[in-house]
Amino acid sequence: MNRLILWFVRLMPKKIQSIYFKYEEIWLYLFYGALTTLVSMVTKLIPLYLANADAMGDFYTIYSGACATFSWICAVTFAFFTNRAYVFKSTANTRRAFWKEFINFYAGRLLSFFIDLGITMVFIGWLRWSEFWVTLAAQIIILIINYVISKLFVFRKTDDNTQTEKQG
């Protein structure tokens, strides 16, 4: 995918290319973040639109929370592999370093999960606001928080990432 992005960037004027390359990590994060947002929204909104909120009554709040949970699992898994490979270009080449990144990524995303869960249950489940607009607003907030967490805590360069694995 990054090859396609680079091909497209090289078609642009040199000034725009220089801006892209100066902030490449952020542009890639926004691109893959948008794809992650799409995964999140599709996996949350389809089950929400298929449900009959009026027929579910008070159970709809719990159901909307379950939809947010399922969506979070799908989106975080997608985001981990795209961020690791294409955005932050992780050099972790040992099992230990991989699992450390994986666990830190999911742990960092717990904050975004609780934000998403709270927003979904309050604004969609309880107040019955628009599923689409509430989900979109939540995803923008989460995108910003997750970049900071990934940049500062998950995919930072450490000695652990470059050591060779001593045990199979």
Side-chain angles (χ1 to χ4, degrees):
M1 182 59 84
N2 281 11
R3 284 182 144 155
L4 180 62
I5 293 169
L6 285 176
W7 174 82
F8 183 72
V9 168
R10 294 198 192 288
L11 295 176
M12 296 179 174
K14 295 290 183 201
K15 189 151 187 110
I16 293 175
Q17 287 182 33
S18 67
I19 292 170
Y20 172 80
F21 288 116
K22 183 175 181 180
Y23 301 104
E24 182 179 34
E25 182 179 277
I26 293 170
W27 289 115
L28 289 172
Y29 185 80
L30 289 172
F31 176 76
Y32 289 106
L35 292 179
T36 300
T37 298
L38 181 64
V39 168
S40 178
M41 290 183 73
V42 167
T43 57
K44 183 194 292 182
L45 291 174
I46 289 175
L48 285 173
Y49 285 141
L50 292 175
N52 183 339
D54 294 329
M56 290 181 141
D58 291 338
F59 181 70
Y60 187 70
T61 301
I62 295 168
Y63 178 78
S64 66
C67 292
T69 303
F70 173 72
S71 168
W72 180 82
I73 292 167
C74 294
V76 171
T77 302
F78 176 82
F80 172 74
F81 287 104
T82 56
N83 281 310
R84 183 177 195 281
Y86 304 120
V87 177
F88 298 105
K89 298 176 177 95
S90 173
T91 57
N93 59 5
T94 67
R95 263 189 248 152
R96 181 175 185 261
F98 170 85
W99 285 109
K100 182 178 178 186
E101 283 181 350
F102 185 84
I103 290 166
N104 286 342
F105 192 83
Y106 270 82
R109 292 308 196 265
L110 279 176
L111 174 62
S112 67
F113 169 69
F114 288 116
I115 290 169
D116 190 23
L117 185 63
I119 290 171
T120 299
M121 291 180 76
V122 170
F123 293 101
I124 295 174
W126 184 43
L127 297 175
R128 307 289 165 96
W129 287 13
S130 167
E131 292 94 345
F132 177 81
W133 292 112
V134 170
T135 299
L136 183 62
Q139 290 306 307
I140 292 169
I141 294 165
I142 289 165
L143 181 75
I144 295 165
I145 292 168
N146 286 342
Y147 177 79
V148 172
I149 291 169
S150 291
K151 181 73 175 165
L152 297 179
F153 302 108
V154 180
F155 295 111
R156 64 177 190 245
K157 305 296 182 222
T158 65
D159 290 338
D160 239 9
N161 289 347
T162 56
Q163 292 177 352
T164 56
E165 191 167 354
K166 293 181 171 79
Q167 295 178 2

